[in-house]
PDB file of all heavy atoms in Angstrom:
ATOM      1  N   VAL A  86      -9.791  10.641 -58.455  1.00  0.00           N
ATOM      2  CA  VAL A  86     -10.944  10.774 -59.360  1.00  0.00           C
ATOM      3  C   VAL A  86     -11.092  12.220 -59.844  1.00  0.00           C
ATOM      4  O   VAL A  86     -11.381  12.468 -61.020  1.00  0.00           O
ATOM      5  CB  VAL A  86     -12.238  10.289 -58.663  1.00  0.00           C
ATOM      6  CG1 VAL A  86     -13.463  10.596 -59.512  1.00  0.00           C
ATOM      7  CG2 VAL A  86     -12.156   8.801 -58.385  1.00  0.00           C
ATOM      8  N   LEU A  87     -10.892  13.173 -58.963  1.00  0.00           N
ATOM      9  CA  LEU A  87     -11.068  14.577 -59.371  1.00  0.00           C
ATOM     10  C   LEU A  87      -9.827  15.121 -60.101  1.00  0.00           C
ATOM     11  O   LEU A  87      -9.853  16.233 -60.628  1.00  0.00           O
ATOM     12  CB  LEU A  87     -11.379  15.458 -58.147  1.00  0.00           C
ATOM     13  CG  LEU A  87     -12.673  15.146 -57.384  1.00  0.00           C
ATOM     14  CD1 LEU A  87     -12.871  16.153 -56.250  1.00  0.00           C
ATOM     15  CD2 LEU A  87     -13.896  15.161 -58.296  1.00  0.00           C
ATOM     16  N   GLY A  88      -8.763  14.346 -60.095  1.00  0.00           N
ATOM     17  CA  GLY A  88      -7.537  14.793 -60.762  1.00  0.00           C
ATOM     18  C   GLY A  88      -6.919  15.997 -60.077  1.00  0.00           C
ATOM     19  O   GLY A  88      -6.357  16.877 -60.736  1.00  0.00           O
ATOM     20  N   ARG A  89      -7.047  16.031 -58.764  1.00  0.00           N
ATOM     21  CA  ARG A  89      -6.440  17.120 -57.994  1.00  0.00           C
ATOM     22  C   ARG A  89      -5.463  16.508 -56.998  1.00  0.00           C
ATOM     23  O   ARG A  89      -5.878  15.692 -56.164  1.00  0.00           O
ATOM     24  CB  ARG A  89      -7.509  17.869 -57.202  1.00  0.00           C
ATOM     25  CG  ARG A  89      -8.553  18.546 -58.064  1.00  0.00           C
ATOM     26  CD  ARG A  89      -9.597  19.084 -57.109  1.00  0.00           C
ATOM     27  NE  ARG A  89     -10.655  19.784 -57.803  1.00  0.00           N
ATOM     28  CZ  ARG A  89     -11.129  20.960 -57.410  1.00  0.00           C
ATOM     29  NH1 ARG A  89     -10.639  21.559 -56.340  1.00  0.00           N
ATOM     30  NH2 ARG A  89     -12.112  21.525 -58.060  1.00  0.00           N
ATOM     31  N   PRO A  90      -4.213  16.885 -57.031  1.00  0.00           N
ATOM     32  CA  PRO A  90      -3.239  16.261 -56.126  1.00  0.00           C
ATOM     33  C   PRO A  90      -3.466  16.614 -54.653  1.00  0.00           C
ATOM     34  O   PRO A  90      -4.151  17.597 -54.341  1.00  0.00           O
ATOM     35  CB  PRO A  90      -1.899  16.847 -56.604  1.00  0.00           C
ATOM     36  CG  PRO A  90      -2.244  18.065 -57.371  1.00  0.00           C
ATOM     37  CD  PRO A  90      -3.615  17.883 -57.919  1.00  0.00           C
ATOM     38  N   LEU A  91      -2.879  15.805 -53.790  1.00  0.00           N
ATOM     39  CA  LEU A  91      -2.928  16.090 -52.351  1.00  0.00           C
ATOM     40  C   LEU A  91      -1.752  17.010 -52.011  1.00  0.00           C
ATOM     41  O   LEU A  91      -0.634  16.798 -52.489  1.00  0.00           O
ATOM     42  CB  LEU A  91      -2.793  14.784 -51.566  1.00  0.00           C
ATOM     43  CG  LEU A  91      -4.014  13.868 -51.590  1.00  0.00           C
ATOM     44  CD1 LEU A  91      -3.650  12.478 -51.078  1.00  0.00           C
ATOM     45  CD2 LEU A  91      -5.133  14.464 -50.737  1.00  0.00           C
ATOM     46  N   GLU A  92      -2.036  18.021 -51.222  1.00  0.00           N
ATOM     47  CA  GLU A  92      -0.976  18.965 -50.834  1.00  0.00           C
ATOM     48  C   GLU A  92      -0.940  19.062 -49.315  1.00  0.00           C
ATOM     49  O   GLU A  92      -1.994  19.057 -48.678  1.00  0.00           O
ATOM     50  CB  GLU A  92      -1.291  20.360 -51.405  1.00  0.00           C
ATOM     51  CG  GLU A  92      -1.301  20.375 -52.925  1.00  0.00           C
ATOM     52  CD  GLU A  92      -1.874  21.666 -53.495  1.00  0.00           C
ATOM     53  OE1 GLU A  92      -2.565  22.398 -52.742  1.00  0.00           O
ATOM     54  OE2 GLU A  92      -1.641  21.927 -54.683  1.00  0.00           O
ATOM     55  N   THR A  93       0.243  19.150 -48.763  1.00  0.00           N
ATOM     56  CA  THR A  93       0.331  19.259 -47.301  1.00  0.00           C
ATOM     57  C   THR A  93      -0.033  20.689 -46.881  1.00  0.00           C
ATOM     58  O   THR A  93       0.486  21.654 -47.415  1.00  0.00           O
ATOM     59  CB  THR A  93       1.746  18.898 -46.826  1.00  0.00           C
ATOM     60  OG1 THR A  93       1.998  17.556 -47.217  1.00  0.00           O
ATOM     61  CG2 THR A  93       1.861  19.013 -45.311  1.00  0.00           C
ATOM     62  N   ASP A  94      -0.944  20.768 -45.960  1.00  0.00           N
ATOM     63  CA  ASP A  94      -1.385  22.072 -45.442  1.00  0.00           C
ATOM     64  C   ASP A  94      -0.581  22.339 -44.162  1.00  0.00           C
ATOM     65  O   ASP A  94      -0.764  21.643 -43.149  1.00  0.00           O
ATOM     66  CB  ASP A  94      -2.886  21.997 -45.164  1.00  0.00           C
ATOM     67  CG  ASP A  94      -3.466  23.307 -44.654  1.00  0.00           C
ATOM     68  OD1 ASP A  94      -2.871  23.906 -43.739  1.00  0.00           O
ATOM     69  OD2 ASP A  94      -4.537  23.715 -45.156  1.00  0.00           O
ATOM     70  N   GLN A  95       0.301  23.339 -44.221  1.00  0.00           N
ATOM     71  CA  GLN A  95       1.215  23.586 -43.103  1.00  0.00           C
ATOM     72  C   GLN A  95       0.457  23.937 -41.820  1.00  0.00           C
ATOM     73  O   GLN A  95       0.842  23.494 -40.722  1.00  0.00           O
ATOM     74  CB  GLN A  95       2.193  24.709 -43.476  1.00  0.00           C
ATOM     75  CG  GLN A  95       3.410  24.806 -42.558  1.00  0.00           C
ATOM     76  CD  GLN A  95       4.207  23.495 -42.451  1.00  0.00           C
ATOM     77  OE1 GLN A  95       4.439  22.807 -43.448  1.00  0.00           O
ATOM     78  NE2 GLN A  95       4.605  23.146 -41.232  1.00  0.00           N
ATOM     79  N   ALA A  96      -0.639  24.681 -41.948  1.00  0.00           N
ATOM     80  CA  ALA A  96      -1.393  25.091 -40.748  1.00  0.00           C
ATOM     81  C   ALA A  96      -1.975  23.864 -40.044  1.00  0.00           C
ATOM     82  O   ALA A  96      -1.952  23.765 -38.809  1.00  0.00           O
ATOM     83  CB  ALA A  96      -2.513  26.054 -41.143  1.00  0.00           C
ATOM     84  N   ILE A  97      -2.489  22.903 -40.833  1.00  0.00           N
ATOM     85  CA  ILE A  97      -3.057  21.686 -40.220  1.00  0.00           C
ATOM     86  C   ILE A  97      -1.930  20.880 -39.558  1.00  0.00           C
ATOM     87  O   ILE A  97      -2.082  20.383 -38.440  1.00  0.00           O
ATOM     88  CB  ILE A  97      -3.790  20.812 -41.268  1.00  0.00           C
ATOM     89  CG1 ILE A  97      -4.975  21.572 -41.866  1.00  0.00           C
ATOM     90  CG2 ILE A  97      -4.268  19.507 -40.647  1.00  0.00           C
ATOM     91  CD1 ILE A  97      -5.686  20.834 -42.979  1.00  0.00           C
ATOM     92  N   LEU A  98      -0.808  20.777 -40.252  1.00  0.00           N
ATOM     93  CA  LEU A  98       0.328  20.027 -39.710  1.00  0.00           C
ATOM     94  C   LEU A  98       0.778  20.618 -38.367  1.00  0.00           C
ATOM     95  O   LEU A  98       0.984  19.892 -37.387  1.00  0.00           O
ATOM     96  CB  LEU A  98       1.483  20.059 -40.727  1.00  0.00           C
ATOM     97  CG  LEU A  98       2.606  19.070 -40.506  1.00  0.00           C
ATOM     98  CD1 LEU A  98       2.097  17.639 -40.466  1.00  0.00           C
ATOM     99  CD2 LEU A  98       3.663  19.211 -41.614  1.00  0.00           C
ATOM    100  N   ASP A  99       0.882  21.956 -38.328  1.00  0.00           N
ATOM    101  CA  ASP A  99       1.288  22.611 -37.074  1.00  0.00           C
ATOM    102  C   ASP A  99       0.264  22.337 -35.968  1.00  0.00           C
ATOM    103  O   ASP A  99       0.631  22.048 -34.824  1.00  0.00           O
ATOM    104  CB  ASP A  99       1.422  24.130 -37.284  1.00  0.00           C
ATOM    105  CG  ASP A  99       2.605  24.456 -38.198  1.00  0.00           C
ATOM    106  OD1 ASP A  99       3.463  23.563 -38.398  1.00  0.00           O
ATOM    107  OD2 ASP A  99       2.655  25.593 -38.724  1.00  0.00           O
ATOM    108  N   ALA A 100      -1.018  22.418 -36.336  1.00  0.00           N
ATOM    109  CA  ALA A 100      -2.065  22.199 -35.330  1.00  0.00           C
ATOM    110  C   ALA A 100      -2.014  20.770 -34.806  1.00  0.00           C
ATOM    111  O   ALA A 100      -2.196  20.517 -33.604  1.00  0.00           O
ATOM    112  CB  ALA A 100      -3.442  22.491 -35.937  1.00  0.00           C
ATOM    113  N   LEU A 101      -1.744  19.809 -35.708  1.00  0.00           N
ATOM    114  CA  LEU A 101      -1.648  18.398 -35.287  1.00  0.00           C
ATOM    115  C   LEU A 101      -0.485  18.226 -34.312  1.00  0.00           C
ATOM    116  O   LEU A 101      -0.623  17.591 -33.272  1.00  0.00           O
ATOM    117  CB  LEU A 101      -1.410  17.501 -36.505  1.00  0.00           C
ATOM    118  CG  LEU A 101      -2.630  17.122 -37.351  1.00  0.00           C
ATOM    119  CD1 LEU A 101      -2.196  16.399 -38.623  1.00  0.00           C
ATOM    120  CD2 LEU A 101      -3.582  16.219 -36.562  1.00  0.00           C
ATOM    121  N   ARG A 102       0.663  18.845 -34.661  1.00  0.00           N
ATOM    122  CA  ARG A 102       1.844  18.717 -33.801  1.00  0.00           C
ATOM    123  C   ARG A 102       1.566  19.313 -32.424  1.00  0.00           C
ATOM    124  O   ARG A 102       1.907  18.721 -31.399  1.00  0.00           O
ATOM    125  CB  ARG A 102       3.048  19.419 -34.443  1.00  0.00           C
ATOM    126  CG  ARG A 102       3.553  18.647 -35.649  1.00  0.00           C
ATOM    127  CD  ARG A 102       4.998  18.996 -35.978  1.00  0.00           C
ATOM    128  NE  ARG A 102       5.471  18.140 -37.047  1.00  0.00           N
ATOM    129  CZ  ARG A 102       5.861  18.561 -38.248  1.00  0.00           C
ATOM    130  NH1 ARG A 102       5.844  19.854 -38.536  1.00  0.00           N
ATOM    131  NH2 ARG A 102       6.274  17.709 -39.150  1.00  0.00           N
ATOM    132  N   THR A 103       0.903  20.474 -32.418  1.00  0.00           N
ATOM    133  CA  THR A 103       0.577  21.126 -31.139  1.00  0.00           C
ATOM    134  C   THR A 103      -0.335  20.237 -30.302  1.00  0.00           C
ATOM    135  O   THR A 103      -0.156  20.081 -29.104  1.00  0.00           O
ATOM    136  CB  THR A 103      -0.133  22.481 -31.409  1.00  0.00           C
ATOM    137  OG1 THR A 103       0.629  23.184 -32.374  1.00  0.00           O
ATOM    138  CG2 THR A 103      -0.301  23.309 -30.160  1.00  0.00           C
ATOM    139  N   ARG A 104      -1.318  19.633 -30.989  1.00  0.00           N
ATOM    140  CA  ARG A 104      -2.282  18.786 -30.294  1.00  0.00           C
ATOM    141  C   ARG A 104      -1.584  17.593 -29.637  1.00  0.00           C
ATOM    142  O   ARG A 104      -1.867  17.245 -28.485  1.00  0.00           O
ATOM    143  CB  ARG A 104      -3.318  18.301 -31.318  1.00  0.00           C
ATOM    144  CG  ARG A 104      -4.584  17.799 -30.713  1.00  0.00           C
ATOM    145  CD  ARG A 104      -5.536  17.348 -31.802  1.00  0.00           C
ATOM    146  NE  ARG A 104      -6.558  16.508 -31.228  1.00  0.00           N
ATOM    147  CZ  ARG A 104      -7.827  16.833 -31.123  1.00  0.00           C
ATOM    148  NH1 ARG A 104      -8.233  17.992 -31.562  1.00  0.00           N
ATOM    149  NH2 ARG A 104      -8.688  16.007 -30.579  1.00  0.00           N
ATOM    150  N   PHE A 105      -0.686  16.956 -30.385  1.00  0.00           N
ATOM    151  CA  PHE A 105       0.041  15.815 -29.821  1.00  0.00           C
ATOM    152  C   PHE A 105       0.951  16.273 -28.674  1.00  0.00           C
ATOM    153  O   PHE A 105       1.007  15.630 -27.628  1.00  0.00           O
ATOM    154  CB  PHE A 105       0.868  15.119 -30.916  1.00  0.00           C
ATOM    155  CG  PHE A 105       0.056  14.123 -31.699  1.00  0.00           C
ATOM    156  CD1 PHE A 105      -0.670  14.518 -32.818  1.00  0.00           C
ATOM    157  CD2 PHE A 105      -0.004  12.797 -31.306  1.00  0.00           C
ATOM    158  CE1 PHE A 105      -1.434  13.605 -33.537  1.00  0.00           C
ATOM    159  CE2 PHE A 105      -0.774  11.868 -32.018  1.00  0.00           C
ATOM    160  CZ  PHE A 105      -1.486  12.278 -33.137  1.00  0.00           C
ATOM    161  N   ALA A 106       1.635  17.408 -28.881  1.00  0.00           N
ATOM    162  CA  ALA A 106       2.559  17.912 -27.855  1.00  0.00           C
ATOM    163  C   ALA A 106       1.807  18.213 -26.562  1.00  0.00           C
ATOM    164  O   ALA A 106       2.283  17.910 -25.463  1.00  0.00           O
ATOM    165  CB  ALA A 106       3.270  19.165 -28.366  1.00  0.00           C
TER     166      ALA A 106
END
Side-chain angles (χ1 to χ4, degrees):
V86 172
L87 298 183
R89 297 173 179 226
L91 287 166
E92 297 169 342
T93 299
D94 181 313
Q95 195 56 43
I97 297 176
L98 195 57
D99 292 344
L101 279 172
R102 289 201 174 117
T103 312
R104 198 180 163 112
F105 276 88

